[in-house]
Amino acid sequence: MLSVIFILPVPIDKSISVNFTIIIALGMYMKEIILGKCGEMALKGLNRTDFESILLKNLRHRLSSCGKFDVSISQSTIYIRPIDETADIDAAFDTALKAFGLSAVSRAAAFDKDMDAIFAGAPEYLEKYLNSARTFKVEAKRADKSFPLKSPEICRELGGKLLESFPHLKVDVNRPDIIVTVEIREREAYVRAGQHKGAGGLPTGTSGRATVLISGGIDSPVAAWMMARRGLKLSAVHFASPPYTSKRAEKKVMQLLETVAEYSGPITVYVVPFTKIQEEIRDKVDEPFSTLVMRRLMMRTASIIAKKEHALALVTGESLGQVASQTLRALSCTDDAASLTVFRPLIGMDKEEIITIARNIGTFETSIQPFEDCCTVFTPRHPKTRPQLDELVAQEQRLDIEALVAEAAENAEEHLVE
């Protein structure tokens, strides 16, 4: 039990006062913190501290909306400690689960490095986990080798205490319902029940900048998430074609990017007016070539905006063979119009694999809302699947490409999604 001590001055006479101690039992006190395990960052060499610094910066920024927390790192473990009563540890835990760079996240009770303190507090902290379990085992990690008990002894002692406190439990070292872990580290001892898989990958911003071409479909938000997971800081370009596309379609895209931003952090979005370009293509380009000419002009426009954002690559949601504009030859012709490297993280995935990721990251239900995007406007009846580059160049000569692209990029509306 925690004893809270109040020191009250009680006068004996006019010149002397004596302190009386009042002890009030308030129940077991414990500090709950969040532990995050660094993933592949831990394998980095001399530049590992750079990755860790960026991860800490990202976490501090994102946790600021959850209250006041102290965020630190030691031996490839992130420590997220509440500072005061403003700290919402539930919200902080959800935020940490979506932070790229953390492979696992857990909530843990922090104790003094003393077995009596652990015995006194661990059963109460673990009660919500162990009451519904039938079997358990204890694992110990003793980073502080000066701790008097070795790992097997810690497991045996705490396991015995938990069996006393929860007589319905049995020990199962092979397939336990719950694994209780005790970590003896530099500052404190930590007790937790299991851990949750984190978002993994690399911290946002460690791999540079890229610009994603984002539609309202299933694929491009998944592509954005996947490249952000590889450490890219993202900006986005969305092509809107009013009145053929609606404000609801634009709002849908913003909702998709808000979901991605829960993992990646803030995303600057450029909404490009594309109606004039699409109407020019409709009126002047032979129909079978229209989609590929449109894609090439999108690449040109996105390249201009990406360079403004100091991005070194474009990201698209294309998958090989999925539609007519995504054949190998068509993709080659599309790449020719881009002045930056093009990343296609979904290129070898089938639709079911992409949908599975979309469901897992929370974009799928938004993506299937029935609002048209510009890629579905003026779709040709018989699109060219094996285009020759010279054929496309000849078609483009019917357009004032430089002027059209420059105007579209110049008139793009900038938004911040976070």
Side-chain angles (χ1 to χ4, degrees):
M1 303 295 284
L2 170 68
S3 295
V4 179
I5 301 176
F6 296 89
I7 308 299
L8 302 178
V10 181
I12 300 298
D13 59 32
K14 293 182 179 180
S15 60
I16 304 174
S17 65
V18 177
N19 289 331
F20 281 82
T21 300
I22 301 176
I23 301 177
I24 305 176
L26 296 180
M28 175 55 62
Y29 169 76
M30 62 188 67
K31 296 180 292 182
E32 186 172 40
I33 73 168
I34 298 170
L35 301 176
K37 299 296 183 181
C38 296
E40 63 184 282
M41 278 172 42
L43 304 177
K44 298 295 178 182
L46 296 176
N47 62 343
R48 188 175 79 180
T49 55
D50 296 333
F51 283 77
E52 292 175 345
S53 295
I54 292 174
L55 175 58
L56 290 175
K57 179 182 176 181
N58 292 347
L59 283 170
R60 287 167 182 151
H61 173 73
R62 296 177 65 184
L63 289 168
S64 62
S65 63
C66 305
K68 294 183 179 180
F69 289 87
D70 174 70
V71 186
S72 61
I73 187 169
S74 178
Q75 295 181 332
S76 297
T77 298
I78 296 289
Y79 297 85
I80 301 172
R81 295 182 172 89
I83 293 178
D84 59 27
E85 68 279 357
T86 68
D88 184 342
I89 198 163
D90 294 329
F93 182 70
D94 291 339
T95 297
L97 282 173
K98 294 180 178 179
F100 290 133
L102 296 180
S103 61
V105 182
S106 58
R107 296 169 71 149
F111 300 100
D112 291 336
K113 291 191 292 184
D114 176 82
M115 288 306 295
D116 287 337
I118 295 172
F119 287 163
E124 182 176 335
Y125 180 70
L126 297 171
E127 182 177 8
K128 58 187 175 184
Y129 304 102
L130 296 180
N131 273 343
S132 58
R134 293 178 300 172
T135 61
F136 81 108
K137 78 171 181 178
V138 178
E139 293 181 349
K141 300 178 181 180
R142 192 172 62 116
D144 179 3
K145 302 304 181 185
S146 67
F147 192 74
L149 297 184
K150 295 182 179 180
S151 295
E153 296 169 327
I154 296 171
C155 294
R156 183 175 62 249
E157 298 257 348
L158 181 57
K161 179 65 176 178
L162 293 177
L163 286 172
E164 290 179 11
S165 301
F166 304 94
H168 71 283
L169 286 176
K170 293 183 179 180
V171 174
D172 184 343
V173 297
N174 295 314
R175 294 184 177 179
D177 294 334
I178 294 289
I179 298 176
V180 174
T181 302
V182 186
E183 297 190 43
I184 309 296
R185 290 188 168 266
E186 300 90 340
R187 290 175 54 176
E188 297 168 308
Y190 304 102
V191 176
R192 56 182 170 83
Q195 60 184 4
H196 295 258
K197 186 178 180 181
L202 297 173
T204 301
T206 54
S207 297
R209 292 173 175 265
T211 298
V212 59
L213 282 70
I214 188 84
S215 70
I218 296 171
D219 301 339
S220 57
V222 173
W225 180 88
M226 290 180 69
M227 294 315 301
R229 190 170 182 263
R230 297 311 306 156
L232 286 176
K233 173 69 175 175
L234 294 179
S235 54
V237 173
H238 173 64
F239 297 93
S241 294
Y244 307 107
T245 61
S246 67
K247 279 291 183 182
R248 291 183 300 177
E250 185 178 322
K251 182 179 179 181
K252 172 184 173 182
V253 168
M254 296 302 175
Q255 290 175 338
L256 289 169
L257 287 173
E258 286 172 3
T259 301
V260 175
E262 292 177 11
Y263 296 87
S264 69
I267 300 173
T268 302
V269 189
Y270 294 85
V271 179
V272 177
F274 212 57
T275 307
K276 183 176 180 179
I277 288 178
Q278 289 197 279
E279 289 177 340
E280 286 279 299
I281 292 172
R282 177 198 63 189
D283 295 340
K284 298 178 180 179
V285 170
D286 292 342
E287 185 180 351
F289 295 95
S290 60
T291 296
L292 287 172
V293 171
M294 179 191 71
R295 294 292 298 172
R296 282 169 59 83
L297 267 66
M298 284 180 171
M299 287 295 196
R300 287 188 172 95
T301 308
S303 294
I304 294 172
I305 294 172
K307 289 176 181 177
K308 176 183 175 182
E309 284 287 308
H310 305 290
L312 298 178
L314 300 177
V315 178
T316 75
E318 292 158 313
S319 173
L320 186 62
Q322 185 170 239
V323 294
S325 63
Q326 296 175 17
T327 64
L328 181 57
R329 191 170 291 176
L331 292 174
S332 177
C333 291
T334 302
D335 280 359
D336 176 76
S339 58
L340 297 172
T341 299
V342 181
F343 291 144
R344 294 184 173 93
L346 312 185
I347 195 67
M349 300 175 68
D350 65 34
K351 199 66 176 183
E352 285 303 314
E353 292 171 317
I354 298 168
I355 288 173
T356 296
I357 297 175
R359 290 186 186 278
N360 289 339
I361 66 176
T363 58
F364 180 74
E365 294 300 328
T366 303
S367 289
I368 61 175
Q369 292 176 7
F371 303 132
E372 297 284 332
D373 61 49
C374 73
C375 294
T376 61
V377 176
F378 310 134
T379 303
R381 289 164 293 181
H382 304 289
K384 198 79 170 177
T385 59
R386 296 183 180 179
Q388 297 295 328
L389 182 58
D390 57 354
E391 293 177 315
L392 288 169
V393 171
Q395 292 286 325
E396 289 176 347
Q397 288 175 350
R398 304 176 184 181
L399 307 171
D400 188 354
I401 288 178
E402 296 300 326
L404 288 170
V405 167
E407 181 182 358
E410 179 67 26
N411 291 327
E413 295 181 2
E414 183 177 341
H415 305 268
L416 182 64
V417 172
E418 54 185 343

